[in-house]
């Protein structure tokens, strides 16, 4: 950056419409391209996520996108948004009345970062919010948190990748950590420890229990089963916001191409679905090879990979057991049975050697115990920060 450019004033401007959203997405892509181990994503997918006409998240949320400029050069971006469903959740679960969010945060330097955070906070205050939480980009189910540990390797599917210095800039703007979540890496090329094997064999002898594959031939029904269990299982977790019917349909459509029946399980007790585990082949593996571009020839590699993702890492982004079974031996048994079956299939069919579990909340003792028992190790840590906006009302109004 030249001296003249670095001394130019910073302006932050709201953007909207197709052109504004495209500029917002493209600036984020430019920032990501600079970062070692970042994986380029498909641009059309990123545009869809910020389009109120296409992403059903906007059926219960509103947002304002901002770009920061130093002179004529775009030097940062941020989104401020309010989720009406999050406002209705209990305060003790992390959100609740008065909680707004920021996300899609990128900045050239700390001065730009402060200007962007100020703009997001002012918009949230103007819309009645008393607390800012983030980064969450932009649903809690999409890309929550800022990467604070694990920049030395590429992320798996649906996890963000950010430079380490962003955390300091956010904290220097008055934010404190509200929650920590992490992913856990494990070697799946060999079987799980003997304790896990004994638990699995015990479950297999129990005639009340069955673990079956998700069936793509009746995919819409299976999606509803999985997400009904999820909405119940996660209902008391920090940050939980329920999926709406429109989001269920949208998620089902988006996930279907990467679903392989043998890697996704539903557990039943006495014929009743009570638990599930989803596993996604790591699409970032192929995206890095085609540089995030489907055209002109990237789509060929993508289609081949989707049919049989040989050598791909596997990520378990979501699992759940009905709340009535939480803290029971059966819940752990079902989890071990599903993950053991998936491990065997991933190695047998796709020669996979690496798995990843998460994200897992820092206070989710049940899932942390499962991750530890199967021998996984934390490989990436994400932080979500918070700041009270109530004390700033007078100061902001004087700007």
């Amino acid at each position: 950056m030249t001296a003249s450019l670095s001394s130019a004033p910073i302006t932050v401007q709201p953007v909207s419409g197709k052109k504004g959203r495209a500029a917002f997405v493209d600036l984020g892509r430019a920032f990501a391209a600079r970062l070692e181990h970042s994986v380029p994503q498909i641009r059309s997918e990123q545009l869809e996520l910020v389009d109120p006409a296409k992403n059903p998240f906007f059926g219960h949320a509103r947002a304002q996108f901002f770009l920061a400029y130093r002179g004529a050069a775009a030097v940062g971006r941020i989104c401020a948004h309010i989720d009406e469903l999050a406002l209705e959740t209990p305060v003790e679960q992390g959100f609740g009345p008065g909680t707004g969010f920021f996300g899609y945060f990128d900045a050239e330097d700390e001065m730009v970062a402060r200007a962007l955070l100020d703009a997001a906070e002012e918009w949230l205050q103007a819309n009645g919010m008393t607390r800012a939480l983030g980064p969450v980009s932009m649903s809690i189910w999409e890309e929550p948190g800022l990467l604070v540990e694990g920049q030395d390797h590429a992320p798996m599917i649906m996890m963000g990748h950010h430079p380490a210095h962003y955390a300091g800039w956010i904290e220097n703007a008055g934010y404190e950590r509200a929650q920590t979540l992490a992913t856990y890496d494990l070697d799946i090329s060999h079987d799980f420890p003997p304790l896990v094997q004994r638990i699995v064999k015990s479950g297999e002898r129990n005639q009340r229990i069955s673990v079956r594959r998700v069936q793509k031939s009746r995919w819409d029904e299976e999606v509803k089963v999985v997400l009904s269990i999820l909405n119940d299982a996660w209902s008391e977790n920090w940050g939980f916001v329920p999926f709406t019917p429109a989001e269920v349909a949208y998620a089902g459509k988006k996930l279907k191409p990467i679903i392989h029946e043998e890697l996704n399980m539903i557990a039943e007790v006495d014929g009743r679905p009570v638990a599930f585990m989803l596993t996604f082949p790591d699409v970032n593996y192929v995206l890095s090879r085609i540089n995030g571009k489907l055209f002109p020839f990237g789509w060929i590699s993508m289609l081949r990979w989707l049919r049989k993702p040989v050598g791909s890492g596997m990520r378990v982004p979501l699992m759940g057991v009905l709340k009535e079974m939480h803290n029971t031996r059966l819940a752990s048994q079902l989890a071990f049975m599903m993950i053991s079956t998936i491990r065997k299939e991933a190695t047998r069919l796709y020669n996979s050697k690496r798995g990843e579990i998460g994200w897992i909340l820092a206070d989710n003792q049940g899932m942390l115990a499962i991750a530890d028992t199967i021998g996984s190790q934390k490989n990436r840590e994400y932080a979500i920060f918070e700041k009270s906006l109530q004390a700033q009302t007078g100061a902001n109004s004087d700007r």
Side-chain angles (χ1 to χ4, degrees):
M1 182 181 296
T2 64
S4 60
L5 185 57
S6 63
S7 62
I10 299 168
T11 60
V12 178
Q13 299 177 10
V15 297
S16 60
K18 185 176 180 179
K19 184 176 179 180
R21 292 192 300 269
F24 184 85
V25 165
D26 287 341
L27 183 62
R29 292 173 65 82
F31 271 97
R34 305 179 194 172
L35 188 58
E36 188 177 9
H37 301 300
S38 180
V39 179
Q41 301 297 299
I42 297 173
R43 182 175 182 267
S44 61
E45 295 286 334
Q46 293 177 301
L47 287 169
E48 188 169 309
L49 287 174
V50 298
D51 188 343
K54 295 182 178 179
N55 186 346
F57 171 73
F58 289 96
H60 53 86
R62 58 192 189 276
Q64 179 60 64
F65 302 99
F66 296 93
L67 290 176
Y69 295 88
R70 183 176 270 122
V75 290
R77 66 171 190 162
I78 200 168
C79 173
H81 54 284
I82 298 168
D83 183 345
E84 299 296 337
L85 294 182
L87 296 178
E88 298 172 2
T89 61
V91 173
E92 58 269 21
Q93 287 182 227
F95 298 161
T99 299
F101 301 87
F102 75 88
Y104 290 122
F105 173 76
D106 284 298
E108 189 74 45
D109 55 43
E110 189 166 4
M111 289 181 63
V112 174
R114 184 64 62 90
L116 287 166
L117 290 166
D118 284 349
E121 292 165 15
E122 289 175 1
W123 185 88
L124 292 172
Q125 284 181 290
N127 283 273
M129 299 297 102
T130 57
R131 176 176 175 243
L133 195 75
V136 177
S137 308
M138 51 179 51
S139 162
I140 192 70
W141 300 108
E142 291 171 12
E143 190 178 299
L146 180 81
L147 181 66
V148 292
E149 292 181 16
Q151 283 86 359
D152 59 345
H153 61 281
M156 276 198 176
I157 177 176
M158 295 174 65
M159 295 305 297
H161 194 70
H162 317 104
H165 54 259
Y166 278 5
W169 295 351
I170 292 171
E171 290 171 338
N172 290 343
Y175 286 80
E176 297 179 348
R177 191 178 296 207
Q179 185 57 270
T180 300
L181 46 95
T183 59
Y184 290 79
D185 182 87
L186 69 156
D187 180 356
I188 62 172
S189 63
H190 55 79
D191 210 338
F192 291 134
L195 172 61
V196 175
Q197 295 182 50
R198 289 196 297 271
I199 294 172
V200 171
K201 289 178 181 178
S202 174
E204 290 171 345
R205 291 192 295 267
N206 188 337
Q207 295 184 358
R208 298 179 59 207
I209 298 173
S210 64
V211 173
R212 66 170 178 84
R213 297 177 176 183
V214 165
Q215 299 175 38
K216 289 182 77 172
S217 61
R218 53 190 192 97
W219 176 243
D220 291 345
E221 296 174 48
E222 297 285 62
V223 168
K224 291 177 182 177
V225 169
V226 165
L227 292 178
S228 67
I229 296 173
L230 177 66
N231 275 343
D232 177 82
W234 286 50
S235 61
E236 295 181 357
N237 283 8
W238 188 97
F240 172 76
V241 176
F243 276 92
T244 66
E247 287 173 308
V248 170
Y250 182 77
K253 180 181 178 181
K254 287 293 181 182
L255 293 178
K256 190 174 183 179
I258 61 171
I259 292 292
H260 293 262
E261 291 183 347
E262 61 276 2
L263 301 176
N264 297 273
M265 300 291 153
I266 292 176
E268 299 178 343
V269 175
D270 297 327
R272 175 193 176 205
V274 297
F276 75 91
M277 184 173 291
L278 298 184
T279 305
F280 302 159
D282 183 25
V283 71
N284 282 355
Y285 173 79
V286 68
L287 286 176
S288 63
R289 295 170 60 189
I290 64 174
N291 199 32
K293 297 177 181 179
L294 291 178
F295 300 101
F297 302 115
W299 63 273
I300 299 174
S301 295
M302 179 63 77
L303 285 177
R304 287 175 177 168
W305 180 88
L306 286 172
R307 281 197 295 269
K308 193 159 187 176
V310 175
S312 171
M314 299 290 173
R315 178 168 175 244
V316 176
L318 289 173
M319 69 158 291
V321 181
L322 288 179
K323 189 166 54 179
E324 66 194 61
M325 295 183 177
H326 285 188
N327 302 314
T328 68
R329 181 178 179 180
L330 180 58
S332 297
Q333 189 171 49
L334 295 174
F336 287 130
M337 290 176 71
M338 290 186 290
I339 199 168
S340 178
T341 301
I342 292 167
R343 186 205 71 79
K344 290 177 181 178
E345 295 293 79
T347 55
R348 180 178 70 88
L349 295 173
Y350 305 113
N351 195 31
S352 297
K353 294 179 171 57
R354 179 188 168 213
E356 184 176 278
I357 301 173
W359 47 271
I360 300 175
L361 292 167
D363 57 1
N364 189 335
Q365 297 303 318
M367 277 304 305
L368 292 174
I370 289 172
D372 181 64
T373 303
I374 61 176
S376 64
Q377 301 290 327
K378 184 172 75 172
N379 65 327
R380 296 171 74 82
E381 181 175 297
Y382 295 80
I384 297 177
F385 300 90
E386 66 179 338
K387 179 180 181 179
S388 172
L389 303 180
Q390 291 177 302
Q392 301 183 88
T393 304
N396 285 346
S397 63
D398 292 338
R399 287 179 184 161

